[in-house]
Coordinates of all heavy atoms in Angstrom, one line a residue:
V17 N -32.3 -36.1 62.6 CA -32.0 -34.7 63.1 C -30.8 -34.7 64.0 O -29.9 -33.9 64.0 CB -33.3 -34.0 63.8 CG1 -32.8 -32.8 64.4 CG2 -34.3 -33.9 62.7
E18 N -30.8 -35.7 65.0 CA -29.7 -35.8 66.0 C -28.4 -36.0 65.3 O -27.4 -35.3 65.6 CB -30.1 -36.9 66.9 CG -29.0 -37.2 68.0 CD -29.4 -38.3 68.9 OE1 -29.4 -39.5 68.4 OE2 -29.6 -38.1 70.1
S19 N -28.3 -37.0 64.4 CA -27.1 -37.3 63.7 C -26.6 -36.2 62.8 O -25.4 -35.9 62.8 CB -27.2 -38.6 63.0 OG -27.6 -39.7 63.7
M20 N -27.4 -35.6 62.2 CA -27.1 -34.5 61.2 C -26.6 -33.3 62.0 O -25.7 -32.6 61.5 CB -28.3 -34.1 60.3 CG -28.7 -35.1 59.3 SD -29.8 -34.6 58.0 CE -31.3 -34.3 59.1
T21 N -27.1 -33.1 63.3 CA -26.7 -31.9 64.1 C -25.1 -32.3 64.5 O -24.4 -31.4 64.5 CB -27.6 -31.8 65.3 OG1 -28.9 -31.5 64.8 CG2 -27.0 -30.8 66.3
E22 N -24.9 -33.5 64.8 CA -23.5 -33.9 65.2 C -22.6 -33.6 64.1 O -21.4 -33.3 64.3 CB -23.5 -35.3 65.7 CG -24.3 -35.5 67.0 CD -24.3 -37.1 67.3 OE1 -23.6 -37.8 66.7 OE2 -25.0 -37.4 68.3
V23 N -23.0 -33.9 62.8 CA -22.2 -33.7 61.7 C -21.9 -32.3 61.3 O -20.8 -32.0 60.8 CB -22.7 -34.6 60.5 CG1 -21.8 -34.3 59.2 CG2 -22.7 -36.1 60.8
G24 N -23.0 -31.5 61.6 CA -22.8 -30.0 61.3 C -23.8 -29.3 60.5 O -23.6 -28.2 59.9
V25 N -24.9 -29.9 60.4 CA -26.1 -29.2 59.6 C -26.4 -27.9 60.2 O -26.4 -27.8 61.4 CB -27.3 -30.1 59.5 CG1 -28.0 -30.2 60.8 CG2 -28.3 -29.7 58.4
E26 N -26.7 -26.8 59.5 CA -27.2 -25.6 59.9 C -28.7 -25.5 60.0 O -29.2 -24.7 60.7 CB -26.6 -24.5 59.1 CG -25.2 -24.0 59.6 CD -24.1 -25.0 59.1 OE1 -24.2 -25.5 58.0 OE2 -23.1 -25.0 59.8
H27 N -29.4 -26.1 59.0 CA -30.8 -25.9 59.0 C -31.5 -27.2 58.5 O -31.0 -27.9 57.6 CB -31.2 -24.9 58.0 CG -32.6 -24.4 58.0 ND1 -33.1 -23.4 57.1 CD2 -33.7 -24.7 58.9 CE1 -34.4 -23.1 57.3 NE2 -34.7 -23.9 58.4
V28 N -32.4 -27.7 59.3 CA -33.3 -28.9 58.9 C -34.7 -28.5 58.7 O -35.3 -27.9 59.6 CB -33.2 -30.0 60.0 CG1 -34.0 -31.2 59.5 CG2 -31.8 -30.4 60.3
I29 N -35.2 -28.8 57.5 CA -36.5 -28.3 57.2 C -37.5 -29.5 56.9 O -37.0 -30.4 56.1 CB -36.5 -27.4 55.9 CG1 -35.5 -26.3 56.0 CG2 -38.0 -27.0 55.5 CD1 -35.3 -25.5 54.7
G30 N -38.5 -29.7 57.6 CA -39.4 -30.8 57.4 C -40.1 -30.6 56.1 O -40.5 -29.5 55.7
W31 N -40.3 -31.8 55.4 CA -41.0 -31.8 54.1 C -42.2 -32.7 54.0 O -42.1 -33.8 54.4 CB -39.9 -32.2 53.0 CG -40.4 -32.4 51.6 CD1 -41.5 -31.7 51.0 CD2 -40.0 -33.4 50.6 NE1 -41.6 -32.2 49.7 CE2 -40.7 -33.3 49.5 CE3 -39.0 -34.3 50.7 CZ2 -40.6 -34.0 48.4 CZ3 -38.8 -35.2 49.6 CH2 -39.5 -35.0 48.4
K32 N -43.3 -32.1 53.5 CA -44.5 -32.9 53.3 C -44.5 -33.5 52.0 O -45.2 -33.0 51.0 CB -45.7 -31.9 53.5 CG -45.9 -31.3 54.9 CD -47.3 -30.7 55.1 CE -47.5 -29.5 54.1 NZ -48.8 -28.8 54.4
A33 N -43.8 -34.6 51.8 CA -43.7 -35.3 50.6 C -44.9 -36.1 50.3 O -45.7 -36.5 51.3 CB -42.5 -36.3 50.6
E34 N -45.2 -36.5 49.1 CA -46.5 -37.1 48.7 C -46.5 -38.5 49.4 O -47.6 -39.0 49.8 CB -46.5 -37.3 47.2 CG -46.8 -36.0 46.4 CD -47.1 -36.3 45.0 OE1 -47.6 -37.3 44.6 OE2 -46.6 -35.4 44.2
R35 N -45.5 -39.3 49.5 CA -45.5 -40.6 50.0 C -45.1 -40.7 51.5 O -44.7 -41.7 52.0 CB -44.5 -41.5 49.2 CG -45.1 -41.7 47.8 CD -44.1 -42.5 46.9 NE -44.7 -42.8 45.6 CZ -43.9 -43.3 44.6 NH1 -42.7 -43.5 44.8 NH2 -44.5 -43.6 43.4
N36 N -45.2 -39.5 52.2 CA -44.9 -39.5 53.7 C -45.9 -40.5 54.3 O -47.2 -40.4 54.1 CB -45.1 -38.1 54.3 CG -43.8 -37.4 54.4 OD1 -42.7 -37.9 54.0 ND2 -43.9 -36.2 54.8
V37 N -45.4 -41.4 55.2 CA -46.4 -42.2 56.0 C -46.6 -41.4 57.3 O -47.8 -41.4 57.8 CB -45.7 -43.5 56.3 CG1 -46.6 -44.3 57.3 CG2 -45.5 -44.3 55.0
A38 N -45.6 -40.9 57.9 CA -45.8 -40.1 59.1 C -46.3 -38.7 58.8 O -46.3 -38.2 57.6 CB -44.4 -39.9 59.9
R39 N -46.9 -38.0 59.7 CA -47.5 -36.7 59.6 C -46.9 -35.7 60.5 O -46.7 -36.0 61.7 CB -49.1 -36.8 59.8 CG -49.7 -37.6 58.7 CD -49.7 -36.8 57.3 NE -50.4 -37.6 56.2 CZ -49.8 -38.3 55.3 NH1 -48.5 -38.5 55.4 NH2 -50.4 -39.0 54.4
W40 N -46.8 -34.5 60.0 CA -46.2 -33.4 60.8 C -47.2 -32.9 61.9 O -48.4 -32.8 61.5 CB -45.7 -32.2 59.9 CG -45.0 -31.2 60.7 CD1 -45.6 -30.2 61.4 CD2 -43.6 -30.9 60.9 NE1 -44.6 -29.4 61.9 CE2 -43.4 -29.8 61.6 CE3 -42.5 -31.6 60.4 CZ2 -42.1 -29.3 61.9 CZ3 -41.2 -31.2 60.6 CH2 -41.1 -30.0 61.4

């Protein structure tokens, strides 16, 4: 998120993918 902000992203959306190890 930090690096993408520096590059210029406008919107970052968290995704609950099937193989996520971490949890939101």
Side-chain angles (χ1 to χ4, degrees):
V17 171
E18 179 181 64
S19 297
M20 291 189 295
T21 297
E22 292 176 9
V23 173
V25 72
E26 271 79 32
H27 192 182
V28 183
I29 305 171
W31 172 31
K32 294 193 296 186
E34 288 184 35
R35 292 177 177 167
N36 267 356
V37 176
R39 291 291 179 264
W40 185 279

